[in-house]
Amino acid sequence: MNEFEQEAKKYFSKNVTDRDRAIFEGAITLGAIFHQFIGTPVKNDPKTIEALEKSIELSMSCQPYIEKVDAKIVPSKLKSGEHSYDYSELKGENLVIKVISKYGNVRVHSRMKYIDELDFPLMYIENIEE
Amino acid sequence: MNEFEQEAKKYFSKNVTDRDRAIFEGAITLGAIFHQFIGTPVKNDPKTIEALEKSIELSMSCQPYIEKVDAKIVPSKLKSGEHSYDYSELKGENLVIKVISKYGNVRVHSRMKYIDELDFPLMYIENIEE
Amino acid sequence: MNEFEQEAKKYFSKNVTDRDRAIFEGAITLGAIFHQFIGTPVKNDPKTIEALEKSIELSMSCQPYIEKVDAKIVPSKLKSGEHSYDYSELKGENLVIKVISKYGNVRVHSRMKYIDELDFPLMYIENIEE
Amino acid sequence: MNEFEQEAKKYFSKNVTDRDRAIFEGAITLGAIFHQFIGTPVKNDPKTIEALEKSIELSMSCQPYIEKVDAKIVPSKLKSGEHSYDYSELKGENLVIKVISKYGNVRVHSRMKYIDELDFPLMYIENIEE
């Protein structure tokens, strides 16, 4: 842990464990991805979709203690770009995200996907490895 | 816990505790606030600042298991609105956030504030009450 | 026109008229509102809706040559907040915006509203007063 | 002009010219780019920067009557990613945008770049071709 990471750690409550911290950092990134990219124009075109997925993955991997971000834009509900108004704004229902965060020896797999039964883009913890 | 909350819980790993969950939900909201509102035009005017603080607090309190959101916009670095180009885009350095999340019997106090030594708007866990 | 506005004007092409400029400034603000606020959590609750409308109006009125912003969030398609997952992300279909921009003696009324026939939140120029 | 474009045109004031419209559509996209992407995490790393530039260009080219979008992220003020907190949030000062919009026979070149004298990311019309 370098001096900046030491400095940051001082602000956390003393009873925060590595597990707590790994969960915390992964969840921040899920919330961040959703609220940064929702609303972006997108159409059902592989190049546009891939560029957006890649920029989500690379930019959001900059965040602290994020090991990997995987973003998939589900094309099935996207408009196809056949005329000037035939495109979509990216919504929670179009986006599947996996985030792996790691702090100390704990690795957390967090996800977001749209759940039909809830009509909601649910964020959840898929697995905690200690 | 109602049927929707039961349904959501199914997606979480079985070894996720109430503490894990309370941390997770609070952190999502911190990440969400930052990436939703950063970039919003704002000037050093009490009415504009208050309106923005209040909308952050009320909208972000909609998120799951969030008990309270407190948002303060620090006016000292904001431009004052004296001519057409004299306003600021909201940045991490202008924003102080407190989020209280609660799941089961666990209450987590999460915060964001700008830390000079890091030149970074640090998100951290201030306290976990069990 | 003060020195900053003079300075800004230098960057514009010489053949840009006051009418051009009034249209330009109003349209920027329409695009800005949509992409800043889409995705914000919101539920069908008058206090939350009003706070969000007011913050859109006041923050976006900071932009250059904007005389007035009027934002209405249409509650009919918003979830009602009865359980943890019962809220909406603000979408183009929920938002009606009016922007009045003024440059020199030209005043432009720009709008955004969702058009069923287009399934699209259309931005358009309602009136130009010269 | 197809039926959707005809339908959209009905909402515009009758005195709106092709020139007005080309300006309007380009300006929307400038405002949209700024408020969609400001706040995105980024570091001074060519792959991250390129991915973000490309996603801005392709997603924002979906907007109506946009012929071309060119986005450049200026790396000089970006942090370099040497430790967990060593990255930047994308700000107006890091972004240079060119948008070409076309409506009828009118082509408008709009730009955004940070102007030191204004301490402001100025949006302006560089050229109108009729």
Side-chain angles (χ1 to χ4, degrees), chain C residues 3-5 7-9 11-17 19-21 23-36 60 63-64 110-111 113 115-118 120 122-129, chain D residues 3-5 7-9 11-17 19-21 23-36 60 63-64 110-111 113 115-118 120 122-129:
Chain C
E3 59 180 311
F4 299 98
E5 291 156 0
E7 177 65 24
K9 194 168 195 270
Y11 291 87
F12 283 78
S13 170
K14 296 299 170 233
N15 65 348
V16 168
T17 65
R19 175 185 176 113
D20 295 338
R21 189 71 189 274
I23 293 168
F24 183 74
E25 303 291 349
I28 287 170
T29 294
L30 277 185
I33 291 173
F34 187 94
H35 291 275
Q36 185 64 57
M60 290 297 172
Q63 302 230 134
S110 303
R111 291 196 63 166
K113 69 173 177 185
I115 307 294
D116 279 329
E117 289 83 348
L118 297 170
F120 192 84
L122 185 69
M123 298 181 184
Y124 59 98
I125 300 172
E126 199 173 30
N127 195 18
I128 302 176
E129 297 174 57
Chain D
E3 59 181 313
F4 299 97
E5 290 156 0
E7 177 65 25
K9 194 168 194 271
Y11 290 88
F12 283 78
S13 169
K14 296 298 170 236
N15 66 349
V16 167
T17 65
R19 175 184 176 113
D20 294 339
R21 189 72 188 274
I23 292 169
F24 183 74
E25 303 291 350
I28 287 170
T29 294
L30 277 185
I33 291 173
F34 188 93
H35 291 275
Q36 185 65 55
M60 290 297 171
Q63 302 231 132
S110 303
R111 290 197 63 165
K113 70 173 176 186
I115 307 295
D116 279 328
E117 290 82 348
L118 297 170
F120 192 84
L122 185 68
M123 297 180 184
Y124 59 97
I125 300 172
E126 199 172 31
N127 195 20
I128 302 175
E129 298 173 55

Side-chain angles (χ1 to χ4, degrees), chain D residues 2-71:
Chain D
N2 67 28
E3 59 181 313
F4 299 97
E5 290 156 0
Q6 295 273 11
E7 177 65 25
K9 194 168 194 271
K10 285 184 201 164
Y11 290 88
F12 283 78
S13 169
K14 296 298 170 236
N15 66 349
V16 167
T17 65
D18 287 3
R19 175 184 176 113
D20 294 339
R21 189 72 188 274
I23 292 169
F24 183 74
E25 303 291 350
I28 287 170
T29 294
L30 277 185
I33 291 173
F34 188 93
H35 291 275
Q36 185 65 55
F37 290 99
I38 291 303
T40 305
V42 62
K43 62 184 176 186
N44 189 343
D45 161 64
K47 279 174 70 176
T48 307
I49 288 174
E50 269 179 55
L52 197 45
E53 289 171 345
K54 198 172 170 191
S55 76
I56 294 173
E57 291 170 359
L58 286 170
S59 65
M60 290 297 171
S61 298
C62 294
Q63 302 231 132
Y65 305 105
I66 300 303
E67 216 175 60
K68 192 168 192 298
V69 174
D70 183 73

